[in-house]
């Protein structure tokens, strides 16, 4: 958990995003218990994560085009 927390902290400093894909059930349970990761950042598989980040990227592109 310490490594995950430290990594998340470093990523947030650069406005990055952190996600977990395909966690084993016991790992997912730890994230749920500790509330270390919001639910939308734990993905069942890589395809689900790709779809999520695609939406985020499109929103950011739209913001840039509006300015």
């Amino acid at each position: 958990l310490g490594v995950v927390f430290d990594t998340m902290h470093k990523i947030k400093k650069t406005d990055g995003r952190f996600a977990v894909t395909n966690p084993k059930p016991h790992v997912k349970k730890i994230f749920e218990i500790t509330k270390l990761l919001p639910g939308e950042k734990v993905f069942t598989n890589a395809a689900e994560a790709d779809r999520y980040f695609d939406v985020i990227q499109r929103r950011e592109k739209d913001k840039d085009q509006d300015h």
Side-chain angles (χ1 to χ4, degrees), residues 1-12 18:
L1 288 176
V3 171
V4 172
F5 181 78
D6 289 344
T7 301
M8 288 176 57
H9 183 69
K10 290 176 184 176
I11 290 171
K12 285 183 180 182
F18 182 87

Side-chain angles (χ1 to χ4, degrees), residues 5-63:
F5 181 78
D6 289 344
T7 301
M8 288 176 57
H9 183 69
K10 290 176 184 176
I11 290 171
K12 285 183 180 182
K13 285 183 179 180
T14 62
D15 287 332
R17 299 190 187 274
F18 182 87
V20 175
T21 59
N22 200 23
K24 299 216 181 278
H26 65 281
V27 173
K28 187 174 181 180
K29 189 68 173 176
I30 289 170
F31 286 138
E32 290 170 358
I33 291 169
T34 62
K35 298 181 183 174
L36 186 60
L37 297 176
E40 73 265 14
K41 293 184 182 179
V42 179
F43 302 101
T44 304
N45 55 48
E48 184 181 359
D50 287 342
R51 287 190 300 273
Y52 173 81
F53 286 114
D54 186 49
V55 169
I56 299 295
Q57 288 175 336
R58 288 179 193 200
R59 281 188 204 150
E60 293 300 317
K61 282 183 181 179
D62 290 344
K63 285 181 189 176

